Amino acid sequence: MTVRALREALDGPRPSLVVDARAAAEREAGAIPGSLHLPLAELPARHGELPTDRRLVLHCAGGLRSSIAASVLRHHGHAQVCDLLGGYAAWAAA
C-alpha cells in the first residue's frame, strides 16, 4: 500500500488499523498517528490481540520487517494484511 492509499484508507468509513513493527526507540522518534505499536519480535506471541475482521497495514522503518510481519499474520489467519511501501521513511517524507 502506498502512503497516499493509506491516507485515503485512514479517512474512510472503516479505517485500516496501522501496526508499527519497529523497535520502541524507533517509534519514539516518530509514529503514524493512531498506529498500534507491536514490534516484530513480539508479533508471534501477540498476534491474537489484532482484529481479524479489519484490514491491517503494517510498517517498519523501510519495509523489510513489516513484510515479515505481514507473512506472520497471514500464517495466523489474518486475511486482510498489507505492507506500507517504503515504511515510516516514506510516510515521514510525504
Side-chain angles (χ1 to χ4, degrees), residues 1-12 16 32 55 57 83-87 90-94:
M1 175 177 279
T2 65
V3 169
R4 181 177 180 188
L6 176 57
R7 288 186 191 277
E8 291 171 4
L10 292 175
D11 289 336
S16 299
I32 295 174
R55 181 172 42 191
V57 179
D83 188 16
L84 179 61
L85 296 174
W91 176 271

Side-chain angles (χ1 to χ4, degrees), residues 5 10 12 15 25 32 35-36 40 43-44 59-60 63 65 71 73 80 92:
L10 292 175
I32 295 174
S35 63
L36 174 70
L40 176 60
L43 192 58
H59 82 85
C60 60
R65 287 172 288 176
S71 293
L73 289 176
Q80 299 180 65

Side-chain angles (χ1 to χ4, degrees), residues 4 19-20 22 35 40 48-49 66 70 81 86:
R4 181 177 180 188
V19 180
D20 185 343
R22 299 177 298 161
S35 63
L40 176 60
E49 297 175 23
S66 58
V81 177

